[in-house]
């Protein structure tokens, strides 16, 4: 059977010795979506990915993949793939042999896609992983990640070391194959501005907890950038949650959490204010800044 697999964490806790990496996480990653798994360094993204892919057992609580516990689950094994930056390949075998090995384990693997991407990233099938540059290793991980067409594909910081043209080739290839073969894709990256156009759902972790989990379109319209005469900007922000503000002379700019009604937007424009969207990257920076947890909670309530 092949169908996109969703992920659900229920009170999921993971400790490394005394270190709490995930502290009671409740979150759902919708089946058949591209979800951006975001968070600052050490927030728990890799840990969550590792538990979903059954690389690690929870210390408490549970994670379900397609409604089932993934741990030692033979049915899920070929359908769930975690590609890590470290690369999980046979270092002493050629890329060609590695591809064949993966093809044998992955029922949905597309050799045609693999070959096309090998060409696209200029990877030599006769090379061995240990001889590849960091960016080439990442590219090979991406080839495996896309060509495997796993029902749950988790790509954890797989772009590291890739130059900008290669990263954009990766995003295009991922999107193209996802449209043709829908599955659940979880994309963890710090380059939020670059993956923004790909993601349909966003999960933000912060210190081992879920800061927010939301539809990306809904998230985009909850942040508003307002620019104009400082006095008007101050009037506009009264009673709203301000994520950030700047002032230069008599002109001010503020980023606020607000879902504006049509009338409010028109009134603000009539008062000489420019309203604009807030890039996801900026929202992320504001929401994960120290002391911003209240704003994130408010955003969660506004859903
Ligand atoms: N093997 C380990 N032993 C001890 N602590 C660990 C181990 N792996 C992770 N941690 C700790 O658990 C927390 C979560 O780590 P994790 O790797 O999941 O974060 P991350 O969000 O993926 O970070 P990054 O963006 O930096 O890759 C961090 O505080 C980290 O130091």
């Amino acid at each position: 059977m092949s169908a996109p697999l969703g992920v659900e964490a229920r009170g999921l806790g993971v400790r490394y010795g005394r270190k709490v990496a995930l502290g009671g996480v409740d979150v759902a990653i919708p089946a058949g979506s591209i979800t951006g798994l975001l968070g600052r360094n050490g927030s728990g993204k890799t840990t969550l990915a590792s538990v979903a892919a059954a690389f690690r057992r929870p210390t408490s609580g549970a994670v379900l993949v397609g409604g089932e516990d993934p741990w030692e689950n033979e049915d899920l094994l070929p359908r769930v793939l975690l590609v890590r930056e470290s690369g999980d390949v046979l270092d002493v075998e050629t890329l060609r042999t590695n591809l064949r090995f993966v093809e044998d384990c992955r029922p949905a693997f597309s050799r045609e896609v693999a070959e096309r991407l090998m060409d696209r990233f200029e990877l030599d099938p006769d090379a061995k992983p240990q001889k590849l540059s960091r960016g080439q290793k990442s590219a090979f991980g991406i080839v495996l990640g896309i060509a495997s067409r796993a029902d749950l594909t988790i790509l954890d910081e797989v772009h590291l070391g890739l130059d900008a043209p290669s990263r954009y080739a990766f995003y295009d290839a991922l999107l193209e194959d996802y449209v043709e073969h829908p599955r659940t894709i979880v994309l963890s990256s710090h380059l939020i501005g670059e993956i923004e156009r790909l993601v349909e759902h966003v999960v933000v972790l912060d210190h081992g907890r879920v800061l927010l989990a939301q539809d990306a379109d809904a998230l985009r319209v909850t942040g508003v950038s307002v620019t104009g005469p400082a006095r008007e900007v101050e009037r506009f922000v009264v009673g709203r949650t301000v994520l950030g503000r700047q002032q230069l002379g008599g002109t001010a700019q503020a980023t606020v959490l607000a879902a504006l009604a049509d009338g409010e937007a028109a009134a603000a424009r009539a008062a000489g204010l420019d309203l604009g969207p807030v890039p996801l990257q900026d929202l992320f920076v504001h929401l994960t800044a120290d002391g911003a947890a209240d704003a994130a909670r408010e955003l969660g309530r506004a859903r």
Side-chain angles (χ1 to χ4, degrees), residues 5-72:
L5 291 166
V7 180
E8 196 184 343
R10 294 183 186 160
L12 179 65
V14 176
R15 281 172 176 272
Y16 298 100
R18 293 169 65 185
K19 172 78 199 170
V20 177
L22 293 177
V25 163
D26 291 300
V27 74
I29 293 175
S33 70
I34 301 184
T35 292
L37 180 58
L38 312 177
R40 293 176 65 178
N41 292 127
S43 56
K45 303 179 297 296
T46 297
T47 303
L48 178 58
S50 303
V51 175
F55 280 36
R56 177 171 290 284
R57 280 191 101 159
T59 314
S60 56
V63 72
L64 298 176
V65 173
E68 293 180 32
D69 181 353
W71 186 256
E72 293 183 349

Coordinates of all heavy atoms in Angstrom, one line a residue, residues 5-72:
L5 N 1.8 9.5 4.5 CA 1.7 9.2 5.9 C 1.8 10.5 6.8 O 2.9 11.2 6.7 CB 2.9 8.3 6.3 CG 2.8 6.8 5.8 CD1 4.2 6.2 6.0 CD2 1.7 6.1 6.4
G6 N 0.9 10.7 7.6 CA 0.9 11.9 8.5 C 1.7 11.5 9.8 O 1.9 10.3 10.0
V7 N 2.0 12.5 10.6 CA 2.8 12.2 11.8 C 2.0 12.9 13.0 O 1.5 14.0 12.8 CB 4.2 12.8 11.8 CG1 4.9 12.6 13.1 CG2 5.0 12.3 10.6
E8 N 1.9 12.2 14.1 CA 1.2 12.8 15.2 C 2.0 12.5 16.4 O 2.3 11.3 16.7 CB -0.2 12.2 15.4 CG -1.0 13.1 16.3 CD -2.4 12.5 16.5 OE1 -2.8 11.6 15.8 OE2 -3.0 12.9 17.5
A9 N 2.4 13.5 17.1 CA 3.2 13.4 18.4 C 2.2 13.7 19.5 O 1.5 14.6 19.5 CB 4.4 14.3 18.5
R10 N 2.2 12.8 20.5 CA 1.3 13.0 21.7 C 2.1 13.0 23.0 O 2.7 11.9 23.3 CB 0.3 11.9 21.8 CG -0.7 11.9 20.6 CD -1.7 10.8 20.8 NE -2.6 10.6 19.6 CZ -3.3 9.6 19.4 NH1 -3.2 8.5 20.2 NH2 -4.0 9.5 18.3
G11 N 2.3 14.1 23.6 CA 3.0 14.2 24.8 C 4.5 13.7 24.7 O 5.0 13.0 25.6
L12 N 5.0 13.9 23.5 CA 6.3 13.3 23.1 C 7.5 13.9 23.9 O 7.7 15.1 23.8 CB 6.5 13.4 21.6 CG 7.8 12.8 21.1 CD1 7.9 11.3 21.3 CD2 8.0 13.2 19.6
G13 N 8.2 13.1 24.6 CA 9.3 13.6 25.4 C 10.6 12.8 25.0 O 10.5 11.5 24.8
V14 N 11.7 13.4 24.8 CA 12.9 12.8 24.6 C 14.0 13.4 25.4 O 14.2 14.7 25.4 CB 13.4 12.8 23.1 CG1 14.8 12.2 22.9 CG2 12.4 12.2 22.2
R15 N 14.8 12.6 26.1 CA 15.9 13.1 26.9 C 17.2 12.4 26.4 O 17.1 11.3 26.0 CB 15.7 12.6 28.4 CG 14.7 13.4 29.2 CD 14.5 12.7 30.5 NE 13.7 13.5 31.4 CZ 14.1 14.5 32.2 NH1 15.4 14.7 32.3 NH2 13.3 15.1 33.0
Y16 N 18.2 13.2 26.5 CA 19.6 12.6 26.3 C 20.2 12.7 27.7 O 20.7 13.8 28.0 CB 20.4 13.4 25.3 CG 19.8 13.4 23.9 CD1 19.0 14.5 23.4 CD2 19.9 12.3 23.0 CE1 18.5 14.6 22.2 CE2 19.4 12.4 21.8 CZ 18.7 13.5 21.3 OH 18.1 13.5 20.1
G17 N 20.2 11.7 28.4 CA 20.7 11.8 29.8 C 19.8 12.8 30.6 O 18.6 12.6 30.6
R18 N 20.4 13.8 31.1 CA 19.6 14.8 31.8 C 19.1 15.9 30.9 O 18.3 16.8 31.3 CB 20.4 15.4 33.0 CG 20.7 14.3 34.0 CD 21.7 14.8 35.0 NE 21.2 15.9 35.8 CZ 22.0 16.5 36.7 NH1 23.2 16.2 36.9 NH2 21.5 17.5 37.4
K19 N 19.5 15.9 29.7 CA 19.1 17.0 28.8 C 17.7 16.7 28.2 O 17.5 15.6 27.5 CB 20.2 17.1 27.6 CG 19.8 18.0 26.5 CD 20.0 19.4 26.9 CE 19.2 20.3 25.9 NZ 19.1 21.7 26.3
V20 N 16.8 17.6 28.3 CA 15.5 17.4 27.7 C 15.5 18.0 26.3 O 15.7 19.2 26.2 CB 14.4 18.1 28.6 CG1 13.0 18.0 27.9 CG2 14.4 17.5 30.0
A21 N 15.4 17.1 25.3 CA 15.5 17.6 23.9 C 14.0 18.0 23.5 O 13.8 18.9 22.7 CB 16.1 16.6 23.0
L22 N 13.1 17.1 23.9 CA 11.7 17.4 23.6 C 10.9 17.2 24.9 O 11.0 16.2 25.5 CB 11.1 16.4 22.5 CG 11.7 16.6 21.1 CD1 11.1 15.5 20.2 CD2 11.4 17.9 20.5
G23 N 10.1 18.2 25.2 CA 9.4 18.2 26.5 C 7.9 18.1 26.3 O 7.3 19.2 26.4
G24 N 7.4 17.0 26.1 CA 5.9 16.8 26.0 C 5.3 17.6 24.7 O 4.5 18.5 24.9
V25 N 5.8 17.1 23.6 CA 5.3 17.7 22.3 C 4.0 17.1 21.8 O 3.9 15.9 21.7 CB 6.4 17.6 21.3 CG1 5.9 17.9 19.9 CG2 7.6 18.5 21.6
D26 N 3.1 18.0 21.6 CA 1.8 17.6 20.9 C 1.8 18.3 19.6 O 1.7 19.5 19.5 CB 0.6 18.0 21.7 CG 0.5 17.2 23.0 OD1 0.4 16.0 22.9 OD2 0.5 17.8 24.1
V27 N 1.8 17.6 18.5 CA 1.8 18.2 17.2 C 1.4 17.2 16.1 O 1.6 16.0 16.3 CB 3.2 18.8 16.8 CG1 4.2 17.7 16.5 CG2 3.1 19.9 15.8
A28 N 0.7 17.7 15.1 CA 0.3 16.9 14.0 C 0.9 17.5 12.7 O 0.9 18.7 12.4 CB -1.2 16.8 13.8
I29 N 1.5 16.6 11.9 CA 2.0 17.0 10.6 C 1.1 16.3 9.6 O 1.0 15.1 9.5 CB 3.5 16.5 10.4 CG1 4.4 17.3 11.4 CG2 4.0 16.7 8.9 CD1 5.8 16.8 11.4
P30 N 0.4 17.2 8.8 CA -0.7 16.6 7.9 C -0.1 15.7 6.8 O 0.9 16.0 6.2 CB -1.3 17.8 7.3 CG -0.8 19.0 8.0 CD 0.5 18.6 8.7
A31 N -0.8 14.6 6.6 CA -0.4 13.7 5.5 C -0.6 14.5 4.2 O -1.6 15.3 4.0 CB -1.3 12.5 5.5
G32 N 0.3 14.2 3.2 CA 0.2 14.8 1.9 C 0.4 16.3 1.9 O -0.1 17.0 1.0
S33 N 1.3 16.8 2.8 CA 1.7 18.2 2.7 C 3.2 18.3 2.7 O 3.9 17.4 3.0 CB 1.2 18.9 4.0 OG 1.9 18.5 5.1
I34 N 3.7 19.5 2.4 CA 5.1 19.8 2.6 C 5.1 20.7 3.9 O 4.5 21.8 3.9 CB 5.7 20.6 1.4 CG1 5.7 19.8 0.2 CG2 7.2 20.9 1.8 CD1 6.4 20.4 -1.0
T35 N 5.7 20.2 4.9 CA 5.7 20.9 6.2 C 7.1 21.4 6.5 O 8.1 20.6 6.4 CB 5.3 20.0 7.3 OG1 3.9 19.7 7.1 CG2 5.4 20.6 8.7
G36 N 7.2 22.7 6.8 CA 8.5 23.2 7.2 C 8.7 23.0 8.7 O 7.8 23.4 9.5
L37 N 9.8 22.3 9.0 CA 10.0 22.1 10.5 C 11.1 23.1 10.8 O 12.3 22.9 10.4 CB 10.5 20.6 10.7 CG 10.9 20.2 12.1 CD1 9.7 20.4 13.1 CD2 11.3 18.8 12.1
L38 N 10.7 24.1 11.6 CA 11.6 25.2 11.8 C 11.9 25.3 13.3 O 11.2 24.8 14.2 CB 11.0 26.5 11.3 CG 10.4 26.5 9.9 CD1 9.7 27.8 9.6 CD2 11.4 26.2 8.9
G39 N 13.0 26.0 13.6 CA 13.4 26.2 15.0 C 14.8 26.6 15.1 O 15.6 26.3 14.2
R40 N 15.2 27.3 16.1 CA 16.5 27.8 16.3 C 17.4 26.6 16.6 O 16.9 25.5 16.9 CB 16.6 28.8 17.4 CG 15.9 30.1 16.9 CD 15.9 31.1 18.0 NE 17.2 31.6 18.3 CZ 17.5 32.6 19.2 NH1 16.5 33.1 19.9 NH2 18.7 32.9 19.5
N41 N 18.7 26.8 16.6 CA 19.7 25.7 16.9 C 19.3 25.0 18.2 O 19.0 25.7 19.2 CB 21.1 26.2 17.0 CG 21.6 26.7 15.6 OD1 22.1 27.8 15.5 ND2 21.5 25.8 14.6
G42 N 19.3 23.7 18.2 CA 19.1 23.0 19.5 C 17.6 22.9 19.9 O 17.3 22.5 21.0
S43 N 16.7 23.3 19.1 CA 15.3 23.4 19.5 C 14.6 22.0 19.5 O 13.5 21.9 20.0 CB 14.5 24.4 18.6 OG 14.6 24.0 17.2
G44 N 15.2 21.0 18.8 CA 14.7 19.7 18.9 C 14.2 19.1 17.5 O 13.6 18.1 17.5
K45 N 14.5 19.8 16.4 CA 14.0 19.4 15.1 C 14.6 18.0 14.7 O 13.8 17.1 14.3 CB 14.5 20.4 14.0 CG 14.0 21.8 14.3 CD 14.4 22.8 13.2 CE 15.9 23.0 13.1 NZ 16.6 23.5 14.3
T46 N 15.9 17.8 14.8 CA 16.5 16.5 14.5 C 15.9 15.4 15.4 O 15.7 14.3 14.9 CB 18.0 16.6 14.5 OG1 18.4 17.6 13.6 CG2 18.7 15.3 14.2
T47 N 15.7 15.7 16.6 CA 15.2 14.7 17.6 C 13.8 14.3 17.2 O 13.5 13.1 17.1 CB 15.2 15.3 19.0 OG1 16.6 15.7 19.3 CG2 14.8 14.3 20.0
L48 N 13.0 15.2 16.8 CA 11.6 14.9 16.4 C 11.6 14.1 15.1 O 10.9 13.1 15.0 CB 10.8 16.2 16.2 CG 9.4 16.0 15.7 CD1 8.5 15.2 16.7 CD2 8.7 17.4 15.5
A49 N 12.5 14.5 14.2 CA 12.6 13.7 12.9 C 13.1 12.3 13.2 O 12.6 11.4 12.6 CB 13.6 14.5 12.0
S50 N 14.1 12.2 14.1 CA 14.6 10.9 14.4 C 13.6 9.9 15.0 O 13.6 8.7 14.7 CB 15.8 11.0 15.3 OG 16.8 11.9 14.8
V51 N 12.8 10.5 15.9 CA 11.8 9.6 16.5 C 10.7 9.2 15.5 O 10.3 8.0 15.4 CB 11.1 10.4 17.7 CG1 10.0 9.5 18.3 CG2 12.1 10.6 18.8
A52 N 10.3 10.2 14.6 CA 9.3 9.8 13.6 C 9.8 8.8 12.6 O 9.1 7.9 12.2 CB 8.9 11.1 12.8
A53 N 11.1 8.8 12.4 CA 11.7 7.8 11.4 C 12.2 6.6 12.1 O 12.9 5.8 11.5 CB 12.8 8.5 10.7
A54 N 11.9 6.5 13.4 CA 12.2 5.3 14.2 C 13.8 5.1 14.3 O 14.2 3.9 14.5 CB 11.6 4.0 13.7
F55 N 14.5 6.2 14.3 CA 15.9 6.1 14.6 C 16.2 6.1 16.1 O 17.2 5.8 16.6 CB 16.7 7.3 14.0 CG 17.0 7.1 12.5 CD1 16.1 6.6 11.6 CD2 18.2 7.6 12.0 CE1 16.3 6.5 10.3 CE2 18.4 7.5 10.6 CZ 17.5 7.0 9.8
R56 N 15.1 6.6 16.8 CA 15.3 6.8 18.2 C 13.9 6.5 18.9 O 12.9 6.8 18.3 CB 15.7 8.2 18.5 CG 15.9 8.7 19.9 CD 16.5 10.0 19.9 NE 17.9 10.0 19.6 CZ 18.9 9.5 20.4 NH1 18.6 9.1 21.6 NH2 20.2 9.5 19.9
R57 N 14.0 6.0 20.1 CA 12.7 5.8 20.8 C 12.4 7.0 21.8 O 13.3 7.5 22.3 CB 12.8 4.5 21.7 CG 12.6 3.3 20.9 CD 12.5 2.1 21.9 NE 11.1 1.7 22.0 CZ 10.7 0.6 22.4 NH1 11.5 -0.4 22.7 NH2 9.4 0.3 22.4
P58 N 11.1 7.3 21.9 CA 10.8 8.4 22.8 C 11.1 8.0 24.3 O 11.1 6.8 24.6 CB 9.3 8.5 22.7 CG 8.8 7.7 21.5 CD 9.9 6.7 21.2
T59 N 11.4 8.9 25.1 CA 11.5 8.7 26.5 C 10.1 8.6 27.2 O 9.9 7.9 28.1 CB 12.3 9.8 27.2 OG1 13.5 10.1 26.4 CG2 12.8 9.4 28.6
S60 N 9.2 9.4 26.7 CA 7.8 9.4 27.2 C 6.9 9.8 26.1 O 7.3 10.4 25.1 CB 7.7 10.3 28.4 OG 8.1 11.6 28.0
G61 N 5.6 9.5 26.3 CA 4.6 9.9 25.2 C 4.8 9.0 24.0 O 5.4 7.9 24.0
A62 N 4.3 9.5 22.9 CA 4.3 8.6 21.7 C 4.3 9.4 20.4 O 3.9 10.6 20.4 CB 3.0 7.7 21.7
V63 N 4.8 8.8 19.4 CA 4.7 9.4 18.0 C 4.0 8.3 17.2 O 4.3 7.1 17.3 CB 6.1 9.8 17.5 CG1 6.9 8.6 17.1 CG2 5.9 10.7 16.3
L64 N 3.1 8.8 16.3 CA 2.4 7.8 15.4 C 2.6 8.3 14.0 O 2.6 9.5 13.7 CB 0.9 7.8 15.7 CG 0.5 7.4 17.1 CD1 -1.1 7.5 17.3 CD2 0.9 5.9 17.4
V65 N 2.9 7.3 13.2 CA 3.1 7.6 11.7 C 2.0 6.8 11.0 O 2.0 5.6 11.1 CB 4.5 7.2 11.3 CG1 4.6 7.3 9.8 CG2 5.6 8.0 12.0
G66 N 1.2 7.6 10.3 CA 0.0 6.9 9.7 C -0.8 6.2 10.7 O -1.4 5.1 10.4
G67 N -0.9 6.7 11.9 CA -1.7 6.1 13.0 C -1.0 4.9 13.7 O -1.6 4.3 14.6
E68 N 0.3 4.6 13.3 CA 1.0 3.4 13.9 C 2.3 3.8 14.6 O 2.9 4.8 14.2 CB 1.3 2.4 12.9 CG 0.1 1.7 12.3 CD 0.5 0.7 11.2 OE1 1.6 0.1 11.4 OE2 -0.2 0.5 10.2
D69 N 2.7 3.1 15.6 CA 4.0 3.3 16.2 C 5.0 2.8 15.2 O 5.0 1.7 14.7 CB 4.1 2.4 17.5 CG 5.4 2.6 18.2 OD1 6.3 3.2 17.7 OD2 5.5 2.0 19.3
P70 N 6.0 3.7 14.8 CA 6.9 3.4 13.8 C 8.1 2.5 14.3 O 8.8 1.9 13.5 CB 7.5 4.7 13.4 CG 7.3 5.6 14.6 CD 6.1 5.1 15.3
W71 N 8.2 2.3 15.6 CA 9.4 1.6 16.2 C 9.3 0.1 15.7 O 8.3 -0.6 16.0 CB 9.4 1.7 17.7 CG 10.7 1.1 18.3 CD1 10.8 -0.1 18.9 CD2 12.0 1.7 18.2 NE1 12.1 -0.3 19.3 CE2 12.9 0.8 18.8 CE3 12.5 2.8 17.6 CZ2 14.2 1.0 18.9 CZ3 13.9 3.1 17.7 CH2 14.7 2.1 18.3
E72 N 10.4 -0.3 15.1 CA 10.5 -1.7 14.6 C 9.2 -2.2 13.8 O 8.8 -3.3 14.0 CB 10.8 -2.7 15.8 CG 12.2 -2.4 16.3 CD 12.6 -3.3 17.5 OE1 11.7 -4.1 18.0 OE2 13.8 -3.3 17.8

